[in-house]
Amino acid sequence: MALFSSLTPAFVAIICVLIAVMLKKTTRKKEKQESKSKPLSHPWVDEDLKDSADHHLEEEEVDKEWQGLDENVAHVPFFVERYSEAEMIKRSQMFYKLLNKRRSVRFLSDEPVPKEVIDNVIRTAGTSPSGAHTEPWTFVVVQDPYLKHKIREIVEEEEAINYKKRMGDRWVNDLKRLRTNWIKEYLDTAPYLILVFKQVYGRLPNGKKKTHYYNEISVSIACGILLAALQNVGLYTVTSTPLNCGPQLRVLLQRPANEKLLLLLPVGYPKKDATVPALTRKPLEDIMVVM
């Protein structure tokens, strides 16, 4: 009995340790299960910029009838101009040289740009292919000085938070070499701002929602064509995706809830003293694989 009582404190200590270990294992297992069930948290991810290619509308909201082109849409003969091999090579080289001059320019002049030119480059962007020919894009052109300044205020306020809190040290350090920060003077000085919205769904004449297939990819392709069209006329821009500004800018510009901001482009001529980073592009062998 004396031996048992002398060993009791040791047994109690061992039991306490075993209980603590078991509780710790249970807690870890629970945390792992919760982390699997919860999506990864990325505070810098903008809801508007999330890929909505797999966007599914609620069953009761969607019109079950055919939503695309008329079922009996006519097909017409397709005629194209064929170039000789030498002409094809020449044109491909010229086009590459033109687009290889494209740079992201943050120092834009307030020199006026003909509105007809802006109309034409957006018409060109509108030639982009889209899922089921839904054409899920809206290009909002802002030239009013008051609106441009309001956009700048919204963007700079959110961008300051992005740089200081949301983006993280690695992203901020990567941007340092480009000498960019949350101050966006070009939003005031550029003669035009083009805000590209993706329509995550459309509306049918009966008011029901219309599925916009691959709206993210379709609008992204249109943006690429828009950049090429701007370069073709000698205008410059910087591709801007202002994080967490979409809802405020959508309200400011009176856009409907089905439109999400994808890209903000200040458009104009470079300032005479404009500079750009001395960057190089990857060679062909690093970006192309021939099978």
Side-chain angles (χ1 to χ4, degrees), residues 96 99-106 173-180 238-239 275-283:
Y96 163 69
L99 291 192
N100 194 37
K101 295 177 183 177
R102 188 207 58 77
R103 296 300 305 270
S104 294
V105 178
R106 293 174 172 82
N173 287 332
D174 284 344
L175 290 173
K176 276 183 180 178
R177 66 193 183 102
L178 302 178
R179 300 180 190 175
T180 179
V238 53
T239 52
T275 61
V276 294
L279 303 177
T280 58
R281 292 188 167 94
K282 292 180 179 180

Side-chain angles (χ1 to χ4, degrees), residues 158-199:
E158 289 295 331
E159 284 285 78
I161 300 172
N162 292 333
Y163 272 79
K164 295 174 183 178
K165 296 181 180 180
R166 296 184 182 123
M167 295 186 340
D169 293 339
R170 181 182 298 177
W171 191 349
V172 173
N173 287 332
D174 284 344
L175 290 173
K176 276 183 180 178
R177 66 193 183 102
L178 302 178
R179 300 180 190 175
T180 179
N181 54 38
W182 60 85
I183 306 300
K184 311 295 182 183
E185 181 185 347
Y186 51 71
L187 295 177
D188 269 326
T189 58
Y192 293 100
L193 304 181
I194 301 177
L195 292 91
V196 186
F197 288 84
K198 61 180 181 183
Q199 301 169 6

Side-chain angles (χ1 to χ4, degrees), residues 7 37 42 76 90 93-94 103 107 109 113 120 127 135 145 148 151 171 173 178 188 198 211 218 233 261 275 279 291:
L7 291 177
S37 61
H42 297 298
V76 296
K90 178 182 176 183
Q93 289 173 339
M94 289 176 62
R103 296 300 305 270
F107 305 101
S109 165
V113 170
N120 287 334
T127 67
E135 302 176 288
K148 288 195 296 180
I151 290 171
W171 191 349
N173 287 332
L178 302 178
D188 269 326
K198 61 180 181 183
T211 305
S218 300
V233 297
L261 180 64
T275 61
L279 303 177
M291 305 297 287

